[in-house]
Each structure stands twice: as structure tokens, then as C-alpha cells.
Amino acid sequence: MNRNTAIDFYALGTKNSIRAYGSGGSGALRAACRRVRAIDRAMSAFRPGSDVWRLNESAGCGPVRLGTETIDVLARAQEYAALTGGAFDCTVRPLTRLWGIGGECERVPSVREISDTLPNAGYKGLAVNRDNLTAELARKGMAVDLGGIAKGYAADEIKRLLAEAGILSAIINLGGNIVAMGRRGDGRPWRIGVQDPLALTGKPLAVLEVEDRTVVTSGSYERFFIRDGVRYHHIIDPRTGSPAASGLLSVTVVGASSIDADALTTALFVLGRDKGLELLRMLNADAVFISEDSELTVTDGLRGTIVKCSDKEA
Ligand code: ADP
Ligand code: MG
């Protein structure tokens, strides 16, 4: 009897899928899908009435009471902002809005527009109070965008729900934010490809063999637009107000918690390889970097986990 179950759905601005193997019911998958949709309803910056939308509407007007989950994710975002010196910064929304990232009309703003908008970003202007469940943006014009962390939170939530339903083996994929639960049905580790950002074929540059791990990638090739032959992508360097130009095509973090990995990949993409490696050493975390010349850099903790599909090595 085939007891595998699968669900595909759209939420959080991306395509998502859950595949569960062996045992467990489709009810758990449907519940997981509902959960992700609820997270989207609370945390989308684009949805009128969402927590994040209300917070942004109230910028400069004092604290706003929000749902526990949104407060938790905002608090985690702030931890990562402090930890990465602001490379991860969920208050980049005025800048992502200026560039039209996330659905609006994408365009290249003028230098003047960017320098005028930069003062409206900055995580120090966001206060999160976990005790009374409020958050506050200090100045009018400020706004939050949880696009760099919400998928990781949602993936962790799905894992929790599936585990509670007794599912031991599953692949959760929220727009490239992957959680590999347990092992494959044949008892072997899951094999997750690290995509070659330049290959049109989808052929991976390397394969990660993992068990009970999350694998999260941030890449400039995922969401971008081209104007006058220049490629502009969706990860903003909060210091410059423009798409990060750190010499990377992608960063993949392998870890235990998807929310941590999600925030970290975005930050590493902004910081670049060398500063990124320093941060990873400090956090005792692991990642694979792919540079613009397709050079692969792998942290020591992933030796034995990664199988390279090409000869290129750092
Ligand atoms: P993806 O959404 O492709 O998985 P990321 O996790 O790196 O990639 O998130 C990128 C999204 O995060 C952007 O679309 C934007 O909403 C938001 N963002 C952009 N730059 C930053 C930044 N420096 N810090 C935090 N969030 C960011
Ligand atoms: Mg991220």
C-alpha cells in the first residue's frame, strides 16, 4: 500500500510543496498548508490588515499590538540584525519598495532616491516588546519586510506539525527553503542539490547528503530583473540601499533550524564570502558559497556531507 502523501500550494509569495513518506495522513499536510497560509496572512507586508501591514501603517505613531507569532519572528529578525551588524535587516522595506521587489513594478531608482530613502531603513528604529506583544517603528516612512525570514519560520512550523502527527520522513520545500525530516524510505540520507546558478538545466553543482537538516539557499538568480543589460536582484545591502554586490551568486546554509538558516543566508549573501566565513565560525554554523565565477567554498563542518559534481573546489 502506498502511504506517501504530497501537497503543493502557493503561499508566502512562492511555490511550496510537502512530501511525506511511509506513514502519516494527508490531514497533517492539509493542516500544515493552512498553517503556512495563516503565517502569510499575519506576516505579509503586502496584505492590508496583516500584522506587518498594521505595523507599517503605524510607523511613527507609537506601539502596535501584534500576534505572538509575528512578535516572535520580529524579535528573531532583530537578533539577526544585531548579530550580523545590520546585514540582515527587516526594516529594508522602504528600499525593497523603491526597487519594486516583491511584485510591484521593478525599476532602477536614481542615486538621489536611494540616498533619500536610506534614512528610513535601520533596525535600530524598530522596537519589539515581547512582554506586552507590541512593536513600534520609530519614524514615519519606516517599514518592515519579513520576506527574508518568514519562510524559515513557516518551514520549522510545518516540521513541528508533521512530527506531532507522527510523520518521520518528509521533504518540506517552501520556495527553496528546505527541511529534510528523518531519512529517505530506503533508510539512506536525503540528497539535496546545490543548484548551479548559471546552469539552465537545473543540474546541481553539488549534492548535500543530509538527515534531519534544513537546507536554505539565498541566490541572486532566484528573483531578479534586467535593465539595460544589468541584473538587479532582490537582496538589498542595507548599507548601500542597492542589491548586494558581494561577489556571490548564492549561499546555502545547512543547519538544524530553518528560521536561523533563512536569516543567516540572507545576511551571508550581503556580507560576502570572507566576512561570511568569519560569521559562520563565530556561530559554529555551516554553508556553501558559490561565487560569481562559480567557485565553490564549503565550510569544514560539511565535509562528508557534500558531494561535489564538478572539479571546482575552494
Ligand atoms: P528568498 O526570498 O529568495 O528565499 P531571502 O531569504 O534571501 O531569499 O530573502 C530575500 C527577501 O528578504 C527579499 O525579497 C526581501 O523581501 C527581503 N530582504 C531583502 N534584503 C534584505 C536584507 N538585507 N535583510 C533582510 N531582509 C531582506
Ligand atoms: Mg533568507
Side-chain angles (χ1 to χ4, degrees):
M1 184 175 68
N2 184 2
R3 302 179 66 194
N4 299 342
T5 41
I7 193 166
D8 294 279
F9 59 100
Y10 193 88
L12 300 170
T14 188
K15 282 200 270 186
N16 309 291
S17 70
I18 310 172
R19 307 259 175 280
Y21 300 89
S23 64
S26 54
L29 268 59
R30 282 198 302 274
C33 168
R34 281 197 300 275
R35 197 72 197 78
V36 178
R37 294 223 156 100
I39 292 169
D40 189 339
R41 278 196 300 278
M43 299 188 200
S44 165
F46 307 100
R47 223 179 246 277
S50 78
D51 278 358
V52 169
W53 189 86
R54 288 193 297 116
L55 174 62
N56 293 344
E57 285 291 297
S58 309
C61 303
V64 191
R65 202 180 161 91
L66 305 173
T68 325
E69 280 194 295
T70 310
I71 290 288
D72 282 346
V73 174
L74 285 168
R76 298 307 307 281
Q78 290 297 76
E79 276 173 32
Y80 268 92
L83 203 60
T84 62
F88 183 90
D89 187 335
C90 76
T91 70
V92 290
R93 175 78 186 125
L95 294 160
T96 56
R97 191 190 282 139
L98 188 63
W99 287 86
I101 294 166
E104 299 113 306
C105 238
E106 289 157 334
R107 68 188 191 94
V108 181
S110 69
V111 174
R112 177 69 194 272
E113 282 176 297
I114 295 171
S115 60
D116 284 351
T117 307
L118 269 170
N120 285 338
Y123 70 97
K124 290 183 178 154
L126 168 66
V128 184
N129 188 325
R130 278 185 130 145
D131 295 328
N132 53 18
L133 299 180
T134 59
E136 175 175 6
L137 286 164
R139 297 179 301 283
K140 197 168 167 44
M142 287 190 74
V144 158
D145 174 348
L146 291 176
I149 193 167
K151 286 203 295 263
Y153 174 72
D156 285 336
E157 276 298 292
I158 297 180
K159 180 176 78 173
R160 190 178 62 74
L161 287 176
L162 299 194
E164 278 173 15
I167 292 168
L168 301 172
S169 171
I171 289 284
I172 301 158
N173 184 349
L174 304 187
N177 218 295
I178 293 167
V179 172
M181 282 179 74
R183 289 175 160 245
R184 296 196 317 201
D186 61 5
R188 303 188 56 186
W190 294 107
R191 293 170 59 82
I192 314 278
V194 179
Q195 208 181 312
D196 179 350
L198 301 178
L200 299 169
T201 54
K203 183 180 130 317
L205 264 188
V207 172
L208 294 157
E209 295 189 330
V210 295
E211 177 185 345
D212 266 327
R213 278 278 170 280
T214 186
V215 177
V216 179
T217 300
S218 273
S220 58
Y221 60 93
E222 287 167 355
R223 277 187 215 184
F224 62 87
F225 65 98
I226 294 175
R227 284 290 177 285
D228 301 324
V230 181
R231 221 158 60 99
Y232 298 94
H233 62 81
H234 70 308
I235 301 171
I236 298 286
D237 184 336
R239 296 164 298 192
T240 64
S242 294
S246 58
L248 294 175
L249 287 177
S250 79
V251 187
T252 300
V253 168
V254 183
S257 142
S258 209
I259 189 170
D260 288 333
D262 194 4
L264 196 52
T265 49
T266 308
L268 292 172
F269 195 90
V270 170
L271 291 171
R273 188 188 64 179
D274 295 348
K275 284 208 180 110
L277 286 169
E278 274 175 39
L279 178 65
L280 287 163
R281 267 193 295 276
M282 191 178 97
L283 298 174
N284 197 18
D286 285 299
V288 180
F289 295 88
I290 301 177
S291 66
E292 274 165 358
D293 49 12
S294 293
E295 190 189 351
L296 215 64
T297 304
V298 182
T299 56
D300 288 342
L302 292 179
R303 303 208 189 286
T305 298
I306 192 158
V307 181
K308 292 187 180 107
C309 303
S310 84
D311 299 324
K312 286 187 179 144
E313 239 182 279

